[in-house]
Amino acid sequence: MRLNLPSPRRFRHPLARALSLLVGVAVVGVLLVFGLALAGVLLLGGGVWLAWRQWRRPRMPATSATQPGKPAPEVLEGEFVVIRQGPVAH
């Protein structure tokens, strides 16, 4: 299915052409300003939201600094055994 649109008619009068060009540039300018303002609001809102989340995060006590014998909670301790070792590539 092919969509047939009427061909855009170009104005013949030079003043009408200049006026349509100015209107087009004005519309593009308004859209650009609106888009930049929207991007600024989104960036500012995202920054505030991230700062709020960071501020509201519960504080974890520093247990590893007070008890030197215990490992840090993110360290997993354990033992392992190599079952089969393949040829070493040089």
Side-chain angles (χ1 to χ4, degrees):
M1 185 167 128
R2 186 172 172 171
L3 182 64
N4 288 331
L5 294 175
S7 62
R9 293 177 20 169
R10 296 181 63 178
F11 297 113
R12 291 187 182 264
H13 197 276
L15 189 60
R17 281 188 176 191
L19 187 61
S20 67
L21 177 68
L22 287 177
V23 168
V25 168
V27 167
V28 168
V30 166
L31 290 175
L32 181 66
V33 168
F34 179 72
L36 288 175
L38 184 63
V41 167
L42 287 174
L43 283 173
L44 186 66
V48 168
W49 180 69
L50 286 175
W52 177 261
R53 270 189 36 197
Q54 186 71 20
W55 183 67
R56 297 288 291 175
R57 179 183 292 176
R59 308 283 191 261
M60 294 189 121
T63 56
S64 62
T66 58
Q67 300 172 350
K70 283 191 162 183
E74 62 269 358
V75 176
L76 295 175
E77 290 190 20
E79 296 181 9
F80 67 93
V81 176
V82 177
I83 296 175
R84 190 181 85 186
Q85 190 171 8
V88 178
H90 291 318

